[in-house]
Each structure stands twice: as C-alpha cells, then as structure tokens.
Amino acid sequence: MFSNAINKSRIWKKLESHCKSMRRILMKDLFAQDEKRAEKFSLSLGETLFLDYSKNRICDKTMSLLFELARARHLDEKINAMFRGDKINVTEKRSVLHTALRNRDNHPIIVDGKDVMPEINAVLKKMRQFSEDVRFGRFKGYTGKKLVNIVNIGIGGSDLGPFMASEALRKYWMKGINCYFISNIDGTACAEVLSKIDPETTLFIVASKTFTTIETLTNAKTCRKWLVDALGEPAVSKHFVALSTNTQEVAKFGIDTQNMFEFWDFVGGRYSMWSAIGLSIAIAVGMDNFEKMLDGAYMVDKHFCETAFEHNIPVILALIGVWYNNFMGIHRYGVIPYDQYLQYLPAYLQQLDMESNGKSVDLSGDYVKYMTGPLLFGGAGTDVQHSFFQLIHQGTEVVPCDFIIPAISHNEMGAHHEILLANVLAQGEALMKGKTIKEAAEELKAAGKTPEEVEFLKKFKSFSGNRPSNTIILKKLDPFTLGALVAIYEHKIFVQGVIWNIDSFDQMGVELGKKLALGILPELQNKSVELHHDSSTNALIQLVRDLRE
Ligand code: G6Q
C-alpha cells in the first residue's frame, strides 16, 4: 500500500532535497527580495478572518511541492469522504461527521442508508426550546426558582469544547446566568463549585458520550447526592439533564431520559462542541448565538471543500505544519491568542491536535516511519511574553507560533487593545528579523557600555531570528468568528492526518493508563493486597499507603 511508502515517495524526496536549500535561507532576505511576499502569502475569509503566513521559512517552490504532496495523498478525495459520511475512522468503523452538526443548508447526509439530518435538526430544536426555557425562567428548579447556575459535568471532549467556547463568548452571557465546569476527579473541582452555588437555582448538565467515564460519573453522583440531600429525590428531574449517546446508562444513573439530549457515534468527543455537548454554551449565550457559531464553522467547511489548495486556509496551515515537522525537524508549535477570552483555546487545541494526530500506527496497521502529530502548547498574550517567550526568542528550540488576535476591542478600553495589537505585531516581526551580534554591539555602545561590556554582552543581546509565525487577525471575536476559527483548526488537523495516513479520530492511547488505574484503586483501598507491579510503582503505592496511615 501507499502507507509507509509516503516518506519514500518521489514528492517526499523532492521536499527533502528542497529543504536542504531552504535551511540556509533567512526569511528577512526573502522579504527583502520580494516586496509582494506578504500579499502573496496571505489569505482572508471575507471580513471574518485574515491569515498572514508570510513569516514562514517557505518560498513559492516550497508551497508548490507541498501542494503536490497533498495531491499525491489524494487529499481532495479524503475531504469528500469525510463530508460524505464514509467510515474514515477505520479502527472504530465510524463515520466522522461533526460537519453534519453544522450542515446549515441541511442537505441530506446518509449514514448506513439513513439521512442523519432530521435527528440533528430535532436535537437542535430541543436545545433551542430547553435553553430558552431555562434562560427565560420557564423551566424552573424544583422549588420554583429560576436556574441561574449552569454546571457542566464532563471531561476531555465533553468539557474542553464547551468550557473554551463559553469562556471565549463570556461577553455574550445572559446577565444573571453563570456557567461552571467540573471535570477533574480531584474532589477539589467538585467541592469548589458546590461551595459557590445554591441547589435551588442550579442546573447540572452531565455531559458524557459513553456515560461510563469514571470521573464524570463520580462527580455527577456527588452532585446528585448534594442536590438530593438539600431538596429530596423528586427534585432530580428539575435539576439534572444528560448529554449522551447512551440512553440506557443515562436511565440507570437516575436521569429521566426525557431530560436527555442525544448525539451520535459519528461525533467524536473532541469534535462535539457543535452537538448537544454545547448545551451549556447555548444556555449561556443563547441558541441564536450558538447557531451563529455553527454558521461560522459551516462557512469554513464550505471554504475547505470548495477552495483550491492554493487558497485554502486549513490546507495551507496544515502543509506548513508538515513542512516543519517532517522536513525542517521542528516537532512543536505554539498557539498564542492575544485575547483573554481565548485563554483556554490552547488547552482545547492541545486535545484536538495531540489526541487526533498523536499516533504511530498508520491506516494499514503498520508503524509509521516518519513524524506525526507535533507537541502543542500555548497561552494568552501578552502574559506569555513575560514567561516562556524567552525560549521562543533565544532558546535552542525553534517553536513556530500561531498568533491570533481580534482587530476590534471587546470593550471601551481601546487604549489597552492598541497595546495588545502592537505587541502581537512586534512579536512576529522580532521573531522573524532577530537582531545580529553587530546590531546588538552597536546598541550597547550607543547605550554607553564599555568596550569590555559590549564584547561580553553582545551575544546575550542578539537574536538569531528566522523564527516562524502565522498571524491570524479576526475582525472581532464573536460566535461566528469563533466557530470559523475552531473549524479551521479541525480541518488543519484532518489534513495532516491524511498526509500522515493515520486515523485522526480514535484515541486508543488514553486507554492503558485508565485500565491500570482501575487495578491500582483496590490496592490503595486495601493495604493487605499484595503488589505485583514494577519496583517503582510498588514502592510508590506503599509510600502512599504509609503516608495515609
Ligand atoms: C475525545 C475523547 C475523550 C472523551 C472523554 C470523555 O475525543 O474521546 O476526551 O471525550 O474521555 O468521554 P465521555 O464523553 O464518554 O465521558
């Protein structure tokens, strides 16, 4: 098969040899040679979003070879297969249809002989009805009070999406409504939220695709007991709803299935914020805004499907990532939103990217012989400029960064926003240009340093430059733009999965640790159980047993 021949293919070899020549080239020289570089290497999605990818270690030839690679990997066919509902998640034999959740023109999408759209539309309708009933006080708590504390209990894909999106859209929250998220099994997460809320005015949303996840079920049980202790068993139906694919387990847990919002196996956990899993977002910002988020994602879906690779934002971002990861030997990247509301985007994207593409077996079941998913980290600017940016500017690691910023401020503090904008633009420029030792020495001299000091300090004060970044400017951070931004990253990750010939939609790597934890649990609970682990794990279990005596 094609699979492990990827890195033996002609186009791969061409890229390897092209990379040898590109390694010596400085971006600042490329800018000097071509005054149209920025124009050439930038794209926009109407007024919603603008991408400048000119500060990358690429030239025309790099891009044309990368597009050739995408064609050689039959990317267009793979895109069609995903949108059509083919079972591209081969290890789990599932379709991958988060795009159906935002199929705003409602064309039929057939899975196993059945159009999935009527059920999707029915759940959207149910979400609208329920979210509005909660927001406007028509669905009340057991004692007749308005539900104003919305607590999402979920983890991983059933937490990170709604958490990130509702935080990003905080400005759109209905006055008086507060959202909380309980994910970690650490009892602190639960205790902290419960200490802030009143059972009479709280709605718990138990979000779990499988409804078997130990963290979520344990947290949900604790919250259920807390509610029943305060208001009695009959209150549960007025304070608990479930978001799940598993009706049986929802009923078993003691939530009326009338209060269940369904989604389906073709929606992966980390791709599920567009589904019923987004109920907390819909309650906080309103269903109209939730649907605007779907509209934004749909616009990107159309762009992704209908635009030539040469102008296709997710394709270009993906290929540049492949260029660094597989040819330049740079296996990491940073996502730096310059917007406090987007502070949780890096954590969300960490799951999206690293759980999707952190794989070492290809679609034919063979170990890959090339790098796959990179390491992703990030945080909100300008904060991170005062923390890990030292390494980004002067460290021995090169970390390509995606800088994301809205052009328009969220509030009246325009002066703050100008400083923010100036900073993000300065970072991209500084990383690209750097500062030579000669320039550093001249600056030191001009600052009145002695010749010895200049000699000693000049290297410390120099910057190698040639460090890549993408700049993504959003006109404004609103539900539509957020939907568009997230969909761009989803498709970027998909494209990379296609290039690497891996299944981006399973997550078997998270299973082993979970299983071992189930074995260790009784060993902690009962200290007479004999231990048969490695000597380190045995000693650690024994230490914890002793410390808790
Ligand atoms: C995401 C993963 C994973 C999942 C959680 C929660 O793609 O599958 O993060 O979302 O393990 O699972 P449940 O929703 O089934 O509780």
Side-chain angles (χ1 to χ4, degrees):
M1 256 285 287
F2 204 41
S3 61
N4 270 331
I6 296 169
N7 61 339
K8 302 272 176 284
S9 64
R10 268 188 59 227
I11 178 60
W12 195 275
K13 297 285 164 206
K14 277 204 246 175
L15 275 156
E16 276 173 346
S17 111
H18 171 62
C19 184
K20 282 187 194 135
S21 60
M22 283 307 284
R23 279 183 187 284
R24 292 188 298 273
I25 288 174
L26 296 179
M27 283 188 274
K28 65 179 175 188
D29 293 338
L30 295 174
F31 273 99
Q33 286 155 18
D34 180 3
E35 60 181 26
K36 291 226 152 80
R37 182 174 169 85
E39 197 184 313
K40 193 193 306 171
F41 293 132
S42 57
L43 286 167
S44 60
L45 271 180
E47 285 216 325
T48 307
L49 182 147
F50 176 86
L51 164 69
D52 178 338
Y53 62 98
S54 62
K55 294 191 186 85
N56 280 295
R57 293 168 66 178
I58 54 166
C59 65
D60 291 330
K61 184 169 177 195
T62 322
M63 292 315 295
S64 78
L65 290 175
L66 288 167
F67 294 130
E68 201 181 320
L69 174 66
R71 289 193 182 94
R73 301 290 309 124
H74 306 290
L75 177 61
D76 46 0
E77 283 169 32
K78 300 283 172 70
I79 294 173
N80 289 337
M82 174 168 75
F83 278 81
R84 202 167 48 217
D86 289 8
K87 304 216 165 159
I88 61 165
N89 176 356
V90 292
T91 59
E92 296 177 320
K93 298 197 177 77
R94 285 181 187 165
S95 307
V96 173
L97 277 177
H98 44 283
T99 51
L101 302 165
R102 58 216 193 197
N103 168 21
R104 307 301 285 161
D105 76 6
N106 204 25
H107 62 266
I109 299 175
I110 311 295
V111 175
D112 295 330
K114 191 174 134 202
D115 182 7
V116 297
M117 291 315 296
E119 284 189 30
I120 289 175
N121 293 331
V123 173
L124 282 173
K125 199 169 155 205
K126 189 171 171 186
M127 285 172 73
R128 174 174 286 281
Q129 178 74 49
F130 184 73
S131 59
E132 286 178 358
D133 285 351
V134 172
R135 282 162 67 82
F136 300 110
R138 294 190 293 262
F139 185 98
K140 293 185 172 44
Y142 184 61
T143 57
K145 292 197 179 163
K146 187 171 186 235
L147 298 168
V148 292
N149 301 308
I150 313 301
V151 182
N152 188 85
I153 307 173
I155 196 163
S158 299
D159 165 70
L160 288 161
F163 178 49
M164 177 281 293
S166 58
E167 286 295 325
L169 301 176
R170 222 171 218 281
K171 190 140 176 28
Y172 295 80
W173 285 18
M174 186 182 213
K175 206 162 174 271
I177 285 198
N178 267 313
C179 287
Y180 301 88
F181 290 82
I182 300 177
S183 56
N184 205 334
I185 187 60
D186 179 341
T188 310
C190 216
E192 277 296 323
V193 172
L194 294 182
S195 73
K196 291 189 189 95
I197 56 176
D198 171 359
E200 287 183 275
T201 55
T202 298
L203 175 71
F204 291 101
I205 301 179
V206 188
S208 177
K209 181 172 166 180
T210 55
F211 233 77
T212 55
T213 306
I214 190 166
E215 291 92 337
T216 301
L217 292 191
T218 308
N219 282 325
K221 271 182 206 146
T222 302
C223 293
R224 195 180 190 284
K225 181 171 183 312
W226 176 83
L227 183 99
V228 169
D229 286 350
L231 305 179
E233 185 69 31
V236 173
S237 66
K238 290 288 175 192
H239 294 266
F240 269 83
V241 298
L243 320 174
S244 189
T245 56
N246 193 340
T247 317
Q248 257 184 339
E249 288 298 324
V250 169
K252 213 160 105 191
F253 178 84
I255 294 179
D256 186 345
T257 49
Q258 294 293 318
N259 286 349
M260 172 177 157
F261 295 79
E262 198 192 355
F263 62 113
W264 309 270
D265 268 351
F266 57 72
V267 180
R270 56 193 172 276
Y271 296 87
S272 66
M273 71 174 209
W274 323 98
S275 72
I277 288 291
L279 186 65
S280 52
I281 314 171
I283 296 176
V285 305
M287 197 62 190
D288 287 346
N289 280 323
F290 183 81
E291 290 191 348
K292 280 186 195 150
M293 193 177 82
L294 303 184
D295 293 340
Y298 178 61
M299 177 190 66
V300 169
D301 292 346
K302 277 176 76 92
H303 165 84
F304 182 51
C305 290
E306 295 169 6
T307 312
F309 295 163
E310 286 74 4
H311 306 285
N312 194 313
I313 292 179
V315 171
I316 286 174
L317 287 174
L319 293 175
I320 291 174
V322 167
W323 172 240
Y324 291 130
N325 199 25
N326 298 101
F327 301 97
M328 286 264 177
I330 301 169
H331 313 300
R332 61 203 81 85
Y333 77 107
V335 176
I336 322 294
Y338 275 69
D339 190 310
Q340 201 62 24
Y341 285 131
L342 287 176
Q343 63 180 310
Y344 300 110
L345 182 69
Y348 171 78
L349 292 179
Q350 257 172 3
Q351 180 192 28
L352 196 66
D353 199 331
M354 292 163 75
E355 202 166 70
S356 297
N357 285 343
K359 311 284 165 66
S360 1
V361 177
D362 72 11
L363 291 177
S364 340
D366 294 324
Y367 286 113
V368 296
K369 296 189 176 69
Y370 41 82
M371 297 302 282
T372 62
L375 195 90
L376 188 168
F377 70 103
T382 60
D383 283 13
V384 295
Q385 288 179 205
H386 302 266
S387 62
F388 60 74
F389 263 43
Q390 167 62 38
L391 182 148
I392 309 261
H393 282 283
Q394 286 188 317
T396 48
E397 300 275 7
V398 171
V399 185
C401 288
D402 287 355
F403 294 122
I404 303 167
I405 188 162
I408 298 176
S409 169
H410 301 294
N411 46 46
E412 299 309 306
M413 293 181 226
H416 288 236
H417 197 68
E418 271 163 24
I419 299 172
L420 193 73
L421 278 163
N423 267 280
V424 74
L425 299 176
Q427 289 302 321
E429 187 176 16
L431 286 165
M432 187 272 287
K433 277 192 182 156
K435 189 189 282 179
T436 61
I437 299 175
K438 192 162 160 251
E439 286 164 346
E442 274 157 17
E443 271 185 25
L444 286 162
K445 226 183 288 167
K449 298 288 178 199
T450 64
E452 294 73 32
E453 284 171 326
V454 171
E455 201 43 37
F456 177 63
L457 286 174
K458 64 183 185 188
K459 284 188 188 147
F460 291 101
K461 293 277 192 182
S462 73
F463 292 76
S464 61
N466 215 26
R467 295 177 181 236
S469 64
N470 292 308
T471 305
I472 297 175
I473 298 192
L474 316 174
K475 181 171 181 196
K476 191 174 168 228
L477 178 60
D478 58 20
F480 186 88
T481 312
L482 179 71
L485 182 67
V486 173
I488 284 175
Y489 277 99
E490 285 180 345
H491 295 324
K492 170 199 163 178
I493 291 162
F494 167 76
V495 171
Q496 293 187 332
V498 169
I499 303 286
W500 295 324
N501 198 33
I502 54 177
D503 188 337
S504 300
F505 301 102
D506 63 8
Q507 54 283 319
M508 307 211 174
V510 299
E511 292 307 322
L512 179 61
K514 269 199 221 170
K515 204 165 156 216
L516 292 185
L518 289 178
I520 292 176
L521 190 58
E523 294 169 353
L524 290 172
Q525 286 161 342
N526 180 354
K527 60 185 171 67
S528 59
V529 176
E530 253 187 70
L531 302 175
H532 298 288
H533 303 269
D534 57 274
S535 60
S536 160
T537 311
N538 281 345
L540 290 168
I541 294 172
Q542 195 51 51
L543 177 75
V544 173
R545 282 173 170 177
D546 295 346
L547 288 173
R548 293 169 74 205
E549 283 266 274

